[in-house]
Amino acid sequence: MTTAAAGGADAVPPADTHSSAPPSVPAPRKPSGGPSGGPGRRRGSVTGTRKVVAALFLAPALVLLGALVVYPIAYSVYRSFLDQAGTGFAGLDNYKALFTDDTIRTAIKNNAIWVVFAPTVSTALGLIFAVLTERIRWGTAFKLIVFMPMAISMLAAGIIFRLVYDQAPERGVANAVWVGVHDTFAESAGYPNAHPLPVHPLKPGEGGSFVTKVPVRAGQPVQLPLVGVAPAKMPSDARPAKAAAAEPGKITGTAWLDFTKGGGGRPNVIDAEELGLRGIEVEAVKDGKVVASAKAGPDGVFTLPASADGAELRLPAKNFREPYNGVEWLGPTLVTPAIIGSYVWMWAGFAMVLIAAGLAGLPRELLEAARVDGANEWQVFRRITVPMLAPVLSVVLVTLMINVLKVFDLVFIISPGSSLADANVLALQLYRSSFGTDADLGIGSAIAVLLLLLVLPVMYVNIRRIRKEGRR
């Protein structure tokens, strides 16, 4: 106490031996991301590892892409500048041949027809089917039926339509329908290859007709026998021929098939089993003019008026023309439209399904608002439905355009050998030029390059559309 008091205020207090000094604050650590390593190096190593792993995963795909796509394209371009043997440089001669050879020019023309009509018709039918089946109860079943041809291969479809377009109506469905409609409005009866024998009272006339050797007289029945018609080709309602009765002031007669099945018949005599030439036309001709005409009945009997007295009877050439067998679908004129029809049959279902999916996503309130405002169904379809479906329609159209540029199977299978050159397309010509005994790989490679150049603009439009859709 005394010491503390004496010291007063100036006295230094004794140190407290029990108190501890405040802890020292450690200096902050400097980042070690410099050249010596540390976290910076760790981040770089992770990024590099990721790139290596990504490259390893992409390598198989890149190898396949290079082997199956890049190399064939590059080699085709290179080979297109060589000659047929592949040993000499041909320059642009192979490309000049594409536009000077008639066969290849036909293929280019047909490809243009395919690109214009096949995708357009398929897309239009798909749009119509999708819109019309949207509100009906059995729309799903109808869509299933229309889409079913997509499950059939091109080979099978080609075989089917080769039979559909067969020229014979008893085998080809298209001509069976066409002939049925034609015969409903125009009789199609004829006796091709029918002709008289030298002992018959007929002789050849002008233009394939047959005329009587002597003029006819009223009241004297006339006989007009013919041969050369197979019994199986006779009309189904033909009856046994009957001798015509004489009629005063008129010309009567019988036109019949002077042939007895199994033999034993007599010429110029109507035997019991011989059939009348039903429907055959008989004309009475005086001074080169037809004064009367008639058609034979089922038993071959015909009657002409008194004006035919003293005339020559003529069987005109139209009696002997071939019966109507329909349209030559696979002939040089119609073979390309016929094959396009088979393509549309297959791919209209594809277009319908995609368009129906887009149609299901349309906002219904807009359609209903238009109907409330007084728009009819055609106006709703034309001004609202089609514009809103434009992206889907462009997808379908572009896809089908790329597809038809490569069409090969249908043309090769459906078109007969006589019309193959008229139905030729670039993909088929590529095959014909590249394989076979007289193959020219230079021209074949030039055709392949031309096909690539034709596909590239369509692919560019498609890629541009996809990018635009991705930015929305």
Side-chain angles (χ1 to χ4, degrees):
M1 292 290 295
T2 306
T3 306
D10 297 329
V12 178
D16 188 358
T17 58
H18 298 284
S19 63
S20 57
S24 59
V25 179
R29 297 179 60 185
K30 296 181 179 180
S32 56
S36 60
R41 182 177 181 182
R42 192 177 301 118
R43 284 196 299 270
S45 62
V46 171
T47 304
T49 303
R50 289 177 178 175
K51 291 181 178 179
V52 172
V53 172
L56 290 176
F57 274 105
L58 290 175
L62 293 176
V63 170
L64 289 176
L65 182 66
L68 301 179
V69 178
V70 178
Y71 172 75
I73 292 176
Y75 183 77
S76 296
V77 173
Y78 164 74
R79 186 64 179 84
S80 67
F81 292 102
L82 301 182
D83 58 12
Q84 181 175 4
T87 56
F89 182 72
L92 297 176
D93 291 345
N94 293 324
Y95 291 95
K96 292 179 181 177
L98 300 183
F99 302 98
T100 56
D101 185 87
D102 291 337
T103 302
I104 301 178
R105 284 195 300 177
T106 300
I108 295 175
K109 181 194 72 174
N110 287 338
N111 259 103
I113 295 173
W114 273 87
V115 170
V116 171
F117 290 100
T120 304
V121 176
S122 299
T123 305
L125 285 179
L127 176 61
I128 293 172
F129 290 156
V131 172
L132 293 182
T133 58
E134 188 184 20
R135 297 185 179 183
I136 56 178
R137 296 178 57 185
W138 45 272
T140 303
F142 179 82
K143 291 177 182 177
L144 178 63
I145 294 173
V146 175
F147 188 75
M148 280 179 63
M150 283 295 298
I152 303 175
S153 67
M154 286 283 195
L155 173 64
I159 295 174
I160 291 172
F161 275 88
R162 180 66 181 269
L163 295 175
V164 168
Y165 292 132
D166 196 288
Q167 184 66 33
E170 59 270 17
R171 291 194 302 270
V173 176
N175 268 341
V177 175
W178 194 270
V179 170
V181 174
H182 174 274
D183 290 352
T184 301
F185 300 98
E187 187 177 3
S188 182
Y191 298 96
N193 303 321
H195 60 277
L197 293 174
V199 297
H200 287 162
L202 290 167
K203 63 180 180 180
E206 296 180 357
S209 63
F210 299 103
V211 298
T212 54
K213 296 177 180 178
V214 297
V216 296
R217 295 298 176 185
Q220 298 178 2
V222 183
Q223 293 182 339
L224 303 178
L226 293 174
V227 295
V229 183
K233 297 294 184 180
M234 292 291 290
S236 58
D237 57 348
R239 298 177 185 175
K242 183 176 66 175
E247 295 185 21
K250 294 183 179 181
I251 303 296
T252 59
T254 304
W256 84 97
L257 180 62
D258 194 11
F259 173 79
T260 301
K261 191 176 181 180
R266 296 165 294 171
N268 292 329
V269 176
I270 300 176
D271 296 307
E273 296 182 0
E274 295 176 347
L275 299 175
L277 297 175
R278 182 197 69 81
I280 196 167
E281 187 170 352
V282 182
E283 296 176 342
V285 181
K286 286 183 179 180
D287 300 326
K289 296 181 179 180
V290 178
V291 296
S293 64
K295 286 188 176 182
D299 54 3
V301 176
F302 62 90
T303 303
L304 292 168
S307 58
D309 185 26
E312 291 180 340
L313 297 190
R314 180 175 66 185
L315 300 178
K318 59 184 177 182
N319 289 314
F320 311 110
R321 68 175 185 269
E322 291 287 340
Y324 183 70
N325 287 322
V327 178
E328 192 178 2
W329 297 103
L330 300 181
T333 305
L334 295 178
V335 61
T336 296
I339 300 174
I340 291 177
S342 65
Y343 179 90
V344 171
W345 176 77
M346 289 190 66
W347 287 87
F350 167 81
M352 178 196 65
V353 169
L354 291 187
I355 295 172
L359 195 61
L362 294 183
R364 300 297 165 177
E365 58 271 13
L366 293 180
L367 304 179
E368 295 302 328
R371 295 187 181 99
V372 170
D373 289 341
N376 55 36
E377 292 300 324
W378 168 246
Q379 291 173 329
V380 171
F381 172 77
R382 184 166 60 92
R383 297 180 179 274
I384 298 178
T385 303
V386 172
M388 296 187 68
L389 285 176
V392 179
L393 295 177
S394 64
V395 170
V396 175
L397 197 61
V398 170
T399 303
L400 294 181
M401 288 176 66
I402 296 175
N403 186 268
V404 299
L405 284 172
K406 303 180 295 181
V407 67
F408 165 80
D409 323 55
L410 289 177
V411 180
F412 185 70
I413 297 169
I414 295 178
S415 56
S418 59
S419 301
L420 188 60
D422 299 285
N424 199 17
V425 290
L426 284 174
L428 177 58
Q429 185 60 38
L430 170 62
Y431 168 79
R432 297 172 67 185
S433 298
S434 302
F435 302 96
T437 55
D438 58 343
D440 190 337
L441 290 179
I443 293 180
S445 299
I447 296 174
V449 174
L450 177 61
L451 273 174
L452 176 64
L453 294 177
L454 292 176
V455 171
L456 285 178
V458 183
M459 293 180 61
Y460 171 76
V461 172
N462 202 23
I463 293 173
R464 186 177 179 183
R465 180 196 55 79
I466 293 174
R467 289 179 176 177
K468 183 184 290 187
E469 291 291 331
R471 289 195 297 264
R472 291 182 178 178

